[in-house]
Amino acid sequence: MAVPTEIINRKLSHFELCAHHEVEFRTKTTLLESVELVHQPLTETALEDIDLSVEVLGKRLRYPLVITGMTGGAEEVGVFNREIAALADRLGIGFGVGSQRVMLRYPEAAGTFQVRDVAPNVLLFGNIGIAQARELTSSDVVRLGETIGADAMCVHLNTAMEVIQEHGDHEFRGSLATIQRLVNESPLPIIAKETGCGFARESGAKLAAAGVRWVDVSGAGGTSWVGVETIRNRALRHLGEAYWDWGIPTAASVCELRGLNLNLIASGGIRTGLQAAKALALGAKVVGVALPVLRAYTTGGIEAVERFFQTFFDELRVAVMLCGAASVTELTPNHAVIGGELLDWVSQRGLPL
């Protein structure tokens, strides 16, 4: 059975809107501007020897970066997935596919998520929404990941973007039980992932108690998926406009979840290597990017994406050196001073400094 034109058009619409339209948060930022890294002039390192590698889920990444899940389901975006995954493999960073929901009814769409033949060694994340995962057996979820050779499975929590859609998922009861079941029954690690609205400490504590060990905070300040759906779906535009900037800023979300025995992926509005260094110093293990990759690709192809990453890595390397560290894994909250709105957030929420 061929994938319906409606689904293909939706996938292409998401891709086109993110590439060419104003879909980022309007007034809310990541709050990374409220973070200062402590300069150490007496450094005993050499720039070219700075080690930016980290181990994630049993694989050694050359850089602490994951290209977070964006797309799949249409032939055109399948080409994007393959080219970007091949580059990620070559650079030594991670790569995630977009929601594999379409594969549940149309297995022939699997090809648009298949990247293993061009990226045999890449750290690869599969992806499914919590509303779909709840209705599936654990074996079905695992099969989605194994079909594409994934190393882990992201389960994305996307309440805000769903409830402002005319035909979105409005039923989320049983979400925590679903995640706990998957953690207990899946041979693939389960990564809990937001879609641009971040995590609060209360939710993080529940996930940790359920056995989750990796969380992609996907905080506010980058792409607003509420905004994307607001542009696409006019029927409930009043809701979308009201909640366009809803969410916990990325820096605040990292602060919310640190100290809970969770490995954090800081994504949501990360655009530069310096921002990445700040997020890592706050407590993230790796960072995630998406929108800058898509936009570089649509304007200059895979060469532009590679240039973006080289600039990103150069900035990160300098930041690590100027903090007096020899490796990115040495960055800790001791290297960061927070102020402004982020300090207000941490103080009012009673979070550990």
Side-chain angles (χ1 to χ4, degrees), residues 67 79-89 95 293 297 302 305:
I67 303 169
V79 173
F80 169 82
N81 275 344
R82 290 172 63 79
E83 291 194 19
I84 298 298
L87 176 63
D89 187 274
F95 175 78
V293 174
Y297 181 86
I302 201 67
V305 178

Side-chain angles (χ1 to χ4, degrees), residues 195-224:
T195 55
C197 294
F199 279 91
R201 193 169 188 81
E202 295 83 354
S203 295
K206 291 176 182 178
L207 291 172
V212 173
R213 290 296 169 259
W214 283 88
V215 173
D216 181 348
V217 305
S218 189
T223 303
S224 168

Side-chain angles (χ1 to χ4, degrees), residues 149-219:
D151 297 293
M153 198 69 188
C154 291
V155 177
H156 65 259
L157 313 178
N158 59 339
T159 315
M161 66 179 288
E162 289 290 339
V163 297
I164 63 94
Q165 293 182 44
E166 186 176 13
H167 302 294
D169 293 313
H170 293 179
E171 170 62 76
F172 291 93
R173 284 174 289 193
S175 294
L176 183 60
T178 297
I179 290 174
Q180 186 161 28
R181 167 173 60 84
L182 289 172
V183 169
N184 291 337
E185 297 178 0
S186 170
L188 291 176
I190 299 299
I191 301 170
K193 170 181 168 52
E194 238 291 343
T195 55
C197 294
F199 279 91
R201 193 169 188 81
E202 295 83 354
S203 295
K206 291 176 182 178
L207 291 172
V212 173
R213 290 296 169 259
W214 283 88
V215 173
D216 181 348
V217 305
S218 189

Side-chain angles (χ1 to χ4, degrees), residues 227-292:
V228 173
E229 293 299 342
T230 300
I231 296 171
R232 284 190 63 249
N233 301 292
R234 304 270 175 184
L236 295 178
R237 191 177 183 90
H238 63 289
L239 281 177
E241 291 291 344
Y243 289 93
W244 190 297
D245 269 16
W246 177 266
I248 300 173
T250 298
S253 193
V254 172
C255 291
E256 290 271 351
L257 298 192
R258 64 186 181 184
L260 292 177
N261 195 30
L262 294 168
N263 297 292
L264 304 181
I265 302 171
S267 70
I270 304 291
R271 302 290 183 256
T272 69
L274 180 55
Q275 289 177 325
K278 291 179 178 183
L280 294 167
L282 286 178
K285 182 143 188 176
V286 294
V287 299
V289 298
L291 189 67

